[in-house]
Amino acid sequence: MLTVEQYILQMKKKDKIDEFNFQNHAENMTTVIKYVMDYFNNYLNPEAYDYENIKVEQTLLKISEEIGNSYPKSKDFILRYYKEYKSRIDRTLKKYISDLRYYELFYCEEDYENAVNSFCNSPKVKGTGVENYKDDLVLLVQEIKDNETEKPSFSSYIYLDDLLIGWVKSIYIEYKVNVVRFVEDYMWKYNERYIERKYDSKSETHYRINRYNHRYNNNPFSIDEVYQENCNRPFIEGKKGELEMLMMYNWIFDNVEDSDYWSEYVNLCVSTGRVKIVKNINALFPVKVKDIAYPPDVQCSKSFIETYNGFINNDPGTSYILRLSYNKDNDIIWKDEKELSNVIINLHEAFSKYRPPAVIEIFPPIVSNNYGEEDFFQKYNILEKAMKKYTDLKIVMINAPERHYSKPKYLMQTVEDILNIRKTVKERKYHMKLVIDIPSLFKKKCYGHELEEKLDKLSEIRNCILGIHLSNIHDVYSIFSEIRKEDDVYLNTYGYHKYSDFLGGISALFNDNICRYFVPESIVSREDLEELVDVLLRGGFSFCVEEQKYV
């Protein structure tokens, strides 16, 4: 049964009427009026049609258009069921299964059959005869689930391990399951249960108060129960820690603003074997300076030595970092090709006598009106070619401290200098990498926006930073009372620590899986080194074992 609009359209096509032909305007108007009269006088015959059937047919047509692309295999069943029971079985079933606890993890025939059995026994439909359509319902559940499942998005998961992201992606590809969506829905229930929302009308401030203790929790978010009930799923089996890590990420970044805990949490999970596919973040390869020993639980096999002329007087050991430096302002090795050649000869002899270092650090020369970046790279090119035969050797440049404005500056001493050097190296396709001397770079106290701006710039080139020099960190952390973000204030009922801007910023800068070497260059005692190591561990850093590579 056609509507009047559909009837007119059909007749227009049949008679090939062009309503935009204005020469036939009067004739076309007469014809369309005739269509309307014919529709009501002849086509729409009350004796031949039941108005109730007409209404049902129109509804079926509307349903067919609505679900055609969503449930192609179940379309006929949905229409057949509506025609008999005047009920949208797809909507009823979708509402029911969406409330099932692990609906997002459904992936196999057994999941769909269990859902249908539960649905047929539910009070709302029990006794209606719906159980006679179980095969059709199983197929419909599967189509609903597939249609609802979107590809996982990681736009807000910028600190998540690549291997963990790969695991989630592989699950979606193989099983059509979005684990991220499951975690977000699951964690929202914790948000509703444990986060209290208050509004202060005087200050016009919204408060979110977290009353759940997620730190150092052996069973956060009831992960034991969730895993026990889902470990039969092949993509969950053996991945309890990884699933927990997704939950923790969502909780601390999207719900309670406790990002300080992330690095420490990840390294804790790795060190205790809680996760299998995730690696340490903020990992450091310890380098010994002046024979000052690290704490017993930090393995160290590398040493740091310095040379001014290429000579190495004593055996540096099986692995070492070599600083190529100069005395005071006497940077002639970078300004006189003959002097540089002599240093290179001495280096070759030392490497032949002992062994080549893992890394050669270059201390940057002083620039002047007569000497700049171009002049330096002409000399550097000679060094890089001379060291080419040592295939495992890396050459890096370390930033120098900022000099007094009355003195000539070093080639690389500020964040801007570091970015410029990196750009030149990339353009000229040199192999030189970078090392950051953190105390020198942040010698002048900077906090808040200034610190954040510098660290953001460095984070853009973190992949080419092979190591850091760091000797002390003051003002490690304080008990945090509140975090302000946009118009909300986040409070916590537990006494969590918040890192200082400096430690938190450095931790966030190197929040990846690259293991960088760590030189406590200016450390003076074993006690000071032990304290520094403890601060770094609490700040979310970890220390690589000897077998791991730092580049």
Side-chain angles (χ1 to χ4, degrees):
M1 176 65 66
L2 300 177
T3 65
V4 64
E5 293 87 355
Q6 292 169 334
Y7 181 81
I8 293 172
L9 181 62
Q10 177 179 282
M11 295 304 295
K12 279 170 52 183
K13 289 182 179 179
K14 178 182 177 182
D15 296 339
K16 298 180 180 180
I17 290 181
D18 180 8
E19 62 263 52
F20 295 107
N21 185 345
F22 295 105
Q23 293 180 351
N24 298 331
H25 182 75
E27 182 181 342
N28 288 341
M29 185 171 15
T30 301
T31 302
V32 170
I33 293 173
K34 182 181 177 183
Y35 290 158
V36 175
M37 295 176 65
D38 188 54
Y39 176 82
F40 286 103
N41 292 332
N42 300 314
Y43 179 78
L44 199 62
N45 187 344
E47 296 179 0
Y49 296 98
D50 184 335
Y51 279 104
E52 186 62 31
N53 286 338
I54 295 174
K55 186 177 179 180
V56 170
E57 290 297 328
Q58 290 177 344
T59 302
L60 289 174
L61 181 62
K62 183 179 179 181
I63 295 172
S64 179
E65 293 174 351
E66 178 186 330
I67 67 173
N69 296 327
S70 301
Y71 314 128
K73 296 179 182 178
S74 301
K75 178 180 177 180
D76 291 342
F77 165 62
I78 295 171
L79 296 175
R80 189 171 71 251
Y81 192 90
Y82 183 85
K83 195 170 185 178
E84 185 171 352
Y85 297 99
K86 307 300 182 293
S87 174
R88 287 289 299 269
I89 188 64
D90 55 318
R91 290 179 177 176
T92 306
L93 184 59
K94 179 180 177 180
K95 186 178 186 306
Y96 178 83
I97 63 174
S98 296
D99 291 333
L100 296 178
R101 189 176 186 189
Y102 298 118
Y103 164 66
E104 296 288 350
L105 300 181
F106 285 5
Y107 80 100
C108 64
E109 193 78 13
E110 184 180 357
D111 284 329
Y112 307 131
E113 289 176 353
N114 290 339
V116 168
N117 289 332
S118 176
F119 172 71
C120 292
N121 291 322
S122 62
K124 190 172 183 179
V125 298
K126 192 174 183 179
T128 63
V130 72
E131 65 274 5
N132 297 322
Y133 302 93
K134 281 189 176 180
D135 290 342
D136 293 315
L137 290 171
V138 168
L139 182 60
L140 178 55
V141 169
Q142 184 172 355
E143 285 202 284
I144 292 173
K145 169 62 172 54
D146 289 346
N147 191 60
E148 290 284 297
T149 303
E150 298 178 345
K151 184 178 180 180
S153 171
F154 300 97
S155 58
S156 62
Y157 291 76
I158 58 176
Y159 297 119
L160 209 59
D161 188 283
D162 288 342
L163 293 175
L164 196 59
I165 291 176
W167 170 61
V168 174
K169 287 181 177 179
S170 67
I171 292 173
Y172 175 77
I173 293 171
E174 186 172 355
Y175 300 99
K176 199 65 184 294
V177 170
N178 186 341
V179 179
V180 170
R181 175 67 180 274
F182 163 73
V183 167
E184 290 173 347
D185 289 348
Y186 181 82
M187 297 312 298
W188 179 249
K189 295 173 184 176
Y190 270 79
N191 183 298
E192 292 180 317
R193 181 176 179 182
Y194 290 103
I195 294 182
E196 180 182 354
R197 293 165 175 79
K198 289 187 176 181
Y199 178 71
D200 185 351
S201 57
K202 291 182 179 179
S203 61
E204 297 184 344
T205 302
H206 292 272
Y207 290 92
R208 298 190 187 186
I209 307 170
N210 173 33
R211 302 192 181 279
Y212 182 78
N213 187 10
H214 56 272
R215 287 198 179 192
Y216 315 113
N217 192 328
N218 290 326
N219 185 28
F221 319 116
S222 300
I223 184 64
D224 290 347
E225 178 186 352
V226 175
Y227 181 73
Q228 188 64 36
E229 294 177 353
N230 290 279
C231 60
N232 61 308
R233 304 181 190 279
F235 50 87
I236 296 295
E237 183 182 7
K239 297 295 188 297
K240 176 183 174 183
E242 284 74 8
L243 185 60
E244 175 194 309
M245 190 168 282
L246 287 176
M247 293 178 178
M248 186 64 74
Y249 190 104
N250 179 270
W251 182 252
I252 65 178
F253 283 99
D254 294 343
N255 292 279
V256 299
E257 293 296 319
D258 184 24
S259 58
D260 275 1
Y261 182 55
W262 178 245
S263 298
E264 183 182 6
Y265 167 75
V266 172
N267 291 330
L268 185 64
C269 287
V270 174
S271 64
T272 58
R274 206 173 184 116
V275 292
K276 296 180 176 62
I277 64 174
V278 178
K279 298 183 292 184
N280 284 109
I281 57 177
N282 289 351
L284 301 174
F285 202 111
V287 179
K288 185 184 293 186
V289 178
K290 304 171 188 175
D291 291 326
I292 299 176
Y294 280 84
D297 56 340
V298 177
Q299 299 181 32
C300 177
S301 61
K302 273 184 168 53
S303 59
F304 176 78
I305 63 174
E306 195 168 13
T307 182
Y308 299 96
N309 49 24
F311 289 118
I312 300 177
N313 298 322
N314 300 308
D315 189 343
T318 57
S319 183
Y320 64 104
I321 308 293
L322 180 65
R323 165 77 67 81
L324 182 56
S325 191
Y326 52 85
N327 284 312
K328 295 185 178 180
D329 293 346
N330 187 20
D331 57 353
I332 191 170
I333 64 171
W334 298 114
K335 295 176 179 177
D336 186 291
E337 188 171 329
K338 183 177 179 181
E339 288 292 331
L340 177 59
S341 297
N342 289 335
V343 170
I344 290 174
I345 291 172
N346 295 337
L347 288 173
H348 284 318
E349 290 180 358
F351 298 167
S352 177
K353 182 179 181 181
Y354 303 113
R355 61 198 53 79
V359 175
I360 292 180
E361 282 189 0
I362 295 174
F363 193 80
I366 299 170
V367 296
S368 65
N369 292 334
N370 300 320
Y371 183 90
E373 183 182 288
E374 180 67 30
D375 302 291
F376 164 75
F377 277 107
Q378 287 179 1
K379 302 297 185 298
Y380 170 77
N381 187 48
I382 297 172
L383 176 66
E384 182 168 292
K385 287 182 177 179
M387 297 295 120
K388 194 173 182 180
K389 65 178 182 177
Y390 307 110
T391 54
D392 293 330
L393 186 150
K394 302 291 189 297
I395 302 177
V396 301
M397 178 179 281
I398 186 168
N399 58 288
E402 284 195 56
R403 288 161 65 93
H404 192 271
Y405 69 90
S406 63
K407 293 183 178 181
K409 67 186 293 288
Y410 291 107
L411 179 66
M412 192 173 82
Q413 63 180 37
T414 66
V415 171
E416 288 70 26
D417 296 335
I418 293 172
L419 298 177
N420 288 335
I421 291 295
R422 172 55 186 163
K423 181 181 178 183
T424 301
V425 167
K426 191 175 181 180
E427 289 174 348
R428 301 190 182 193
K429 298 182 179 179
Y430 288 129
H431 297 292
M432 187 174 78
K433 302 294 184 180
L434 301 171
V435 169
I436 304 300
D437 184 337
I438 293 175
S440 293
L441 193 61
F442 298 97
K443 198 168 185 178
K444 295 179 180 178
K445 289 186 177 180
C446 60
Y447 299 98
H449 180 70
E450 183 184 359
L451 176 64
E452 184 179 349
E453 186 177 5
K454 286 187 175 183
L455 293 172
D456 283 346
K457 289 178 180 179
L458 289 175
S459 68
E460 296 175 4
I461 61 167
R462 65 158 62 99
N463 289 341
C464 70
I465 300 175
L466 266 58
I468 64 171
H469 285 234
L470 181 63
S471 298
N472 61 71
I473 299 178
H474 298 297
D475 302 324
V476 179
Y477 55 54
S478 60
I479 302 295
F480 89 81
S481 58
E482 65 180 42
I483 296 289
R484 292 183 175 271
K485 185 178 180 183
E486 297 176 350
D487 296 328
D488 290 346
V489 174
Y490 293 77
L491 302 175
N492 204 296
T493 56
Y494 296 89
Y496 295 154
H497 292 110
K498 175 176 172 55
Y499 302 134
S500 66
D501 288 348
F502 184 68
L503 178 57
I506 297 300
S507 178
L509 169 60
F510 298 115
N511 201 299
D512 56 26
N513 299 127
I514 298 175
C515 191
R516 299 173 172 86
Y517 70 82
F518 161 67
V519 181
E521 184 179 352
S522 302
I523 213 76
V524 295
S525 69
R526 183 172 181 174
E527 291 73 22
D528 289 344
L529 181 56
E530 186 172 347
E531 181 182 355
L532 177 59
V533 167
D534 183 56
V535 168
L536 290 173
L537 289 173
R538 284 182 289 161
F541 286 87
S542 61
F543 288 90
C544 300
V545 296
E546 188 172 354
E547 289 77 12
Q548 288 183 282
K549 294 183 178 180
Y550 62 89
V551 293

